[in-house]
Amino acid sequence: ADLTHTGQAAAPAAPTQGTNTNTSITINFSTPVYTGLGLITSYQIQTFPENGGNVVIGYKNATDSTSSSRANYTYTQANLQPGTPYVVNVRAVNSYGQSIPSANLRVSTTGGAGFAATSSLWTVVLMAIAALLAFAF
């Protein structure tokens, strides 16, 4: 789409994967080629579970000093579920509004999604053993 006659910025290129942890993902992205009629003031990062669920929206302040400068950014979204696949996209924001979203990046947190369930299972097993031992004596 030809965005050169609109005030909004073009969509940033698809983000790339950075380092992920059990509960966070890190992405890298850069200023879009067309920044619109106003300087980009921030970026909106949308993170949502690939299998459905609540969208987590984060913001990164822009550091572009002019419309011709291209900055690279790193953003970390914390408080995510372990071992879960997520979809992430980025929007540029200027005084004319938000760009369309970038292409999606599919990325997963590390670790097993079943950690909490496994911990609960071990708790039940240990309680059952304790009950059996108490009954036997």
Side-chain angles (χ1 to χ4, degrees), residues 81-82 112-123:
Q81 295 300 311
F115 177 74
T118 302
S119 297
S120 298
L121 177 61
W122 276 112
T123 302

Side-chain angles (χ1 to χ4, degrees), residues 6-100:
T6 68
Q8 296 168 316
T16 58
Q17 181 176 330
T19 303
N20 300 336
T21 70
N22 212 24
T23 59
S24 70
I25 57 171
T26 299
I27 63 163
N28 302 300
F29 62 94
S30 60
T31 306
V33 174
Y34 178 69
T35 59
L37 297 179
L39 291 178
I40 294 174
T41 56
S42 64
Y43 292 91
Q44 181 188 72
I45 297 90
Q46 298 177 323
T47 306
F48 47 99
E50 190 171 67
N51 299 324
N54 294 329
V55 175
V56 178
I57 297 178
Y59 290 92
K60 179 79 173 179
N61 288 332
T63 58
D64 309 63
S65 57
T66 68
S67 60
S68 61
S69 65
R70 305 253 349 252
N72 295 312
Y73 296 95
T74 298
Y75 176 81
T76 299
Q77 179 61 61
N79 301 315
L80 300 175
Q81 295 300 311
T84 303
Y86 287 91
V87 176
V88 182
N89 63 46
V90 179
R91 294 175 184 253
V93 180
N94 69 11
S95 59
Y96 290 86
Q98 297 176 344
S99 70
I100 61 172

